Amino acid sequence: MSHNTFGHLFRVTTWGESHGPAIGCVIDGCPPGLTFDAEALQSALDRRKPGGSRFVTQRRESDAAEVLSGVFEGVTTGHPISILIRNEDARSKDYDEIAGAFRPGHADFAWQAKYGVRDWRGGGRSSARETAARVAAGAVAQMVLGPDVRAIASVTQIGSSRIDPARFDAREISRNPFFCADAETAKGWEALLDQTRKAGSSLGAVVDLSVDGVPAGWGAPVYGKLDAELAAALMSINAAKGVEIGAGFGAAELCGEENADEIRIGEDGRPVFLSNHAGGVLGGVSTGQPLTARVAFKPTSSILTPRRSIDAGGKEVELRTKGRHDPCVGIRAVPVVEAMALCVLADAKLRHRGQMG
Amino acid sequence: MSHNTFGHLFRVTTWGESHGPAIGCVIDGCPPGLTFDAEALQSALDRRKPGGSRFVTQRRESDAAEVLSGVFEGVTTGHPISILIRNEDARSKDYDEIAGAFRPGHADFAWQAKYGVRDWRGGGRSSARETAARVAAGAVAQMVLGPDVRAIASVTQIGSSRIDPARFDAREISRNPFFCADAETAKGWEALLDQTRKAGSSLGAVVDLSVDGVPAGWGAPVYGKLDAELAAALMSINAAKGVEIGAGFGAAELCGEENADEIRIGEDGRPVFLSNHAGGVLGGVSTGQPLTARVAFKPTSSILTPRRSIDAGGKEVELRTKGRHDPCVGIRAVPVVEAMALCVLADAKLRHRGQMG
Amino acid sequence: MSHNTFGHLFRVTTWGESHGPAIGCVIDGCPPGLTFDAEALQSALDRRKPGGSRFVTQRRESDAAEVLSGVFEGVTTGHPISILIRNEDARSKDYDEIAGAFRPGHADFAWQAKYGVRDWRGGGRSSARETAARVAAGAVAQMVLGPDVRAIASVTQIGSSRIDPARFDAREISRNPFFCADAETAKGWEALLDQTRKAGSSLGAVVDLSVDGVPAGWGAPVYGKLDAELAAALMSINAAKGVEIGAGFGAAELCGEENADEIRIGEDGRPVFLSNHAGGVLGGVSTGQPLTARVAFKPTSSILTPRRSIDAGGKEVELRTKGRHDPCVGIRAVPVVEAMALCVLADAKLRHRGQMG
Amino acid sequence: MSHNTFGHLFRVTTWGESHGPAIGCVIDGCPPGLTFDAEALQSALDRRKPGGSRFVTQRRESDAAEVLSGVFEGVTTGHPISILIRNEDARSKDYDEIAGAFRPGHADFAWQAKYGVRDWRGGGRSSARETAARVAAGAVAQMVLGPDVRAIASVTQIGSSRIDPARFDAREISRNPFFCADAETAKGWEALLDQTRKAGSSLGAVVDLSVDGVPAGWGAPVYGKLDAELAAALMSINAAKGVEIGAGFGAAELCGEENADEIRIGEDGRPVFLSNHAGGVLGGVSTGQPLTARVAFKPTSSILTPRRSIDAGGKEVELRTKGRHDPCVGIRAVPVVEAMALCVLADAKLRHRGQMG
């Protein structure tokens, strides 16, 4: 079973390969009558777009979104929204050498074992280029959720260098090439990344996510828990290796008294949680607190340093991966993390009102 | 949208509340002609069963599985397998006090916000009692997978006390009440848990999982990745707050050279990976290496120490949760972690051969 | 892929075999806070129950529904509703002779080809006994839809004997053992059925369905059309061979002017359709007119007259099907037709408000 | 819940409006390694294409398929196949008059009630133009099924004029503009259609389908029955109002002895059915006999004769539908009927081997 569709009521199907003519998505289930914000869609894509700084891949793509259906006179019709993005700067020649060999850390070996055939150009369908379609879907999800639901992700760790939470300032995120909320740490990352790139190496990263404005009540026990769906959504992003909700692995070290988020009645007469170890979700259902999560990304597998591997014929080889790559794939994952969270939430919103009215 | 069904081709639907007459599951999609191992089913349930030691809840349940359909003359028929487990030792009176109040850390507040109505007896549907049905399903999944696929989970951390990986011995897991593979650490946990229980407190835990015998090729890009589905499956377990695949958050600290699992040809002429940072999955598809994951569980939310909260009427209250509870919910999660992994894999196996033949 | 689940948001999973210990269903997605009408559930089951007259099977089942979950203090909780019905009067011995042979017209041959194993007792899972679970689900669907949505089915043809539409009186349906709205025709069917039963034969039938109170707007293009889903639901009933919506096959003989249901504004200022060839659905979406459909049922395949067939070993045999059977399976299909329509509509209602709010 | 995806393992998502820039589909789940027959795809589209004779709509579309993904070096990769078809000859001006009014028999009224917004140009998403995407998917389904599975549909009735079954010759189907297997009747239809067109009217039709080469064992009880899924697939085609499997409504008039398809062992030692009232499916599973079905299509709702209706403002109006239309929409439905059957079967094939191996 192939599985290129995500979501239940707000459903996103993506398609396309890194070096094919185009990539795209079809978004089904969008409510009708929403103002379609084409500019917001393009902005979201531009934010993820490669080539923005020397710290990301130098592939040049305009990533211009063509909306082919589902919008009429500037408004969603409730029918599928098909979005097309042309591939413009594919250089398949870079990959000739590795056409028959399996790059360590990449999908190559496993996909060959599964499919017996493989579009090796730029990683084909396994390329992070696919995430542009996710970002497009996330922009539409935002239209479904409205402006009150606001997802903010940022890089909080590259390699073993972490930000100082005391310096976290969300306004900084758009001011440096690392989507980093701590200006000082971001400064230091320039040298770190330059050095990594020059060494033909790469680094892992951690992305923190917080979503404000999610009302209490979204999500669904038992196998459609909001945190379980968020975990799947985030783990499905290329290179993701870990997901935490709220206190995450730290919760394992707490005792019950510390972990329980106590509740009081605030001055406005509404419930107030005194802490948020839960990360905004209890029993799989949102509590009205910010939804918080963290995602670990492994270092980019495409590196210039030769690594030992085998080829499709079973011969041992040494491989260095040429082509244009992100030295730290976690950086450009930031808009993708936000997009996936928005897709999960748009789906949760529609599903909630489906059952509850 | 309520979501009490898990899986695509191997599909499990669970139902039932902690203090209702029974809980159970319906397993659809099981291949026909398999010898139905009723004994293995009961063993799996017995392993998860409460009341086994002083370190878990004292609720006494025989957890006897009644198989009501889908098996004929000892063999699966390919039709839905309905399994029923009676609730025998429910003491709803323990919960009278909290009928109208929201226990911090529990689903109470969020579910009330969602549903407006709540079976408060023992947590109702949000109780970990539901996991018995998952374990039953896991036992059937094991029949689908056959004996070569072998999932082994164990507790590797309680609170801040970690096992020594050098002392890991899988045979020890069944020899102590903590599902711990390090006999010496397990010894120490007795005092830790006794003390916690006496203090009316609770502790978090980490469970490590390794699955051997998964062939290369299972799983499906892009939104049906084996690791994404495993993440959802594990995060859907009560009290889970974090999931790692392979090196997990540790991968964020590696450089590309370290993280890439190099491949050689072994003496038997088959590919050998020199490490397993990937945790047995690349591009969402299994590599043939052991599938490895870790799950963080928060401390049990039901504690005797009073915590501040509110009731359904919006009044501030102090709550201590009586009833019989696990001082560390992560312990009894071990068979559940294995069961969920087996369900994911049985589904992946069927889906794989659906597309591939 | 086994497929014992029906619906998307209002989802019904059924399980159980004719001669196993029990049959049942799990209904997921029911909105919370509905008064659970246990009496209505039992009435619905009683209406379908065998043994009510000499014109149906003489198997005696109390068909008492046990509700095991999802209802608390008389109200639905939004969690899965598990309903169990014990099998009480199974006589497997009647089937000994046909254990290894394929009854013509039955699922036996095809299911053996598919599964290689078969619970032959009373047809196992292919028995119409499974429809009791559908009727239970339909009763819950009615609670979701409320009393305004009212499905009325009746037998309008047995063999080649048709009712006179001019004599159609819905009140008559419950007054004869044929669910027939034409008292005079029903009278004649007594002799027809007696004669058929004595001859060891059986007859086909047609059931007409009309559902009032469906608002305009339910259903979903393109592959979730209300009429397409209704067609699947009705065709999935045992022995169904044809489904018509509105004018059905008669529409093929109309010209465009005749077929188009013209619209005017009624005295209450609301749209009025001057005819209903469409059967209450246009473009897959309800129009607010009565939803009308017809279902053709083949004659019961279990007959006492010997028929030629083969056995599992490939030997030619002659078979007469003993056991207790309905001489016209279409009769007891009436409550099942209504139940399936109600399930489709409950699902459509929830899906509609999911997308539309 | 919007529902523009069809199938479970072989899954087709279609998108696009009649007068938008393009329509298309994404086919997910196609097995890898199949030779992608681009020529067969284009032939299939050409067969459905408008403008082929004076008996169908005069809209001129080249319907050239652009394959954007999922095929590499002439072979399917197992990843989604995205197919794009540009709209070239849309004349939205024809529809200006009816922008705010509801054409009787069309989706207009119901969709306005549902969505509150509507792309009225050429019917938007409700246009039969969408079926081009279905035909494209059907061509891919054929590649999955291989040449042994062969679907043949033909028009057997227009208005009240039926073919003579004795003259049925499948080779004739491609020799006349009506997809009619009876050359003599086809001759007569020329005058009938000319007259209908000149009268500004339209006619209904019946399409018969037979599929050879389906092995015994495909399909899945209880709610995934092959005939139930076929019924949904066929009823989802624009203007379909009835579906019969095998003997269909005729089965209601048979007695049990007549209806039961007796089985003997043929000279080759394999089972032979002596008749096929079942239409190749028993208990929802294929028997190895030809799969037979019939579909009733209502007359085209777009007619030049004025009909009474209302507009969006609730005013009574008279409408005649200009634009270019098929006088008998059933004719061009023939390739669509085949395509939908092929999609159902490709899905059934993959699902069967998913559960059975």
Side-chain angles (χ1 to χ4, degrees), chain A residues 145-161:
Chain A
L145 292 164
D148 286 349
V149 176
R150 200 154 154 263
I152 295 182
S154 64
V155 178
T156 52
Q157 180 182 334
I158 293 185
S160 50
S161 165

Side-chain angles (χ1 to χ4, degrees), chain D residues 256-310:
Chain D
E257 296 87 317
E258 294 162 337
N259 181 66
D261 302 315
E262 296 186 301
I263 321 175
R264 299 280 81 182
I265 295 296
E267 292 185 359
D268 60 354
R270 299 165 60 90
V272 179
F273 285 80
L274 306 186
S275 55
N276 189 15
H277 293 102
V281 58
L282 285 170
V285 172
S286 61
T287 63
Q289 292 184 280
L291 194 66
T292 64
R294 301 176 76 236
V295 196
F297 292 95
K298 67 181 183 185
T300 314
S301 297
S302 297
I303 49 176
L304 286 167
T305 314
R307 294 281 91 189
R308 291 173 291 173
S309 185
I310 59 172

Side-chain angles (χ1 to χ4, degrees), chain C residues 1 114 201 219 257 278 351, chain D residues 1 114 201 219 241 257 278 351:
Chain C
M1 186 180 194
K114 183 175 193 73
S201 185
E257 296 88 315
R351 287 154 75 184
Chain D
M1 186 181 195
K114 184 177 192 73
S201 184
K241 297 306 289 181
E257 296 87 317
R351 286 155 75 184

Side-chain angles (χ1 to χ4, degrees), chain D residues 19 56-61 89-92 94-95 302 321-326 332:
Chain D
H19 289 207
V56 298
T57 171
Q58 295 307 300
R59 180 168 169 173
R60 299 280 164 177
E61 294 286 350
D89 186 26
R91 294 193 204 151
S92 303
D94 289 347
Y95 295 86
S302 297
T321 309
K322 285 181 289 189
R324 298 155 297 171
H325 306 291
D326 291 279
R332 285 208 301 135

Side-chain angles (χ1 to χ4, degrees), chain A residues 1 3 114 134 201 217 219 222-223 225 236 241 243 245 257 262 264-265 278 308-309 316 351-352, chain B residues 1 3 114 134 201 217 219 222-223 225 236 241 243 245 257 262 264-265 278 308-309 316 351-352:
Chain A
M1 188 182 193
H3 223 298
K114 183 176 193 75
R134 300 180 186 227
S201 185
V222 173
Y223 302 110
K225 285 180 171 165
S236 79
K241 298 304 290 182
V243 174
I245 305 294
E257 294 89 316
E262 295 185 301
R264 299 279 81 182
I265 296 295
R308 293 174 291 174
S309 185
E316 298 191 336
R351 286 154 75 183
H352 177 70
Chain B
M1 187 182 194
H3 222 298
K114 183 177 192 74
R134 301 180 185 225
S201 185
V222 174
Y223 301 111
K225 284 181 172 163
S236 78
K241 296 307 289 181
V243 174
I245 306 293
E257 296 88 315
E262 295 185 302
R264 298 281 80 182
I265 296 295
R308 290 175 292 174
S309 185
E316 299 192 336
R351 286 154 74 183
H352 177 70

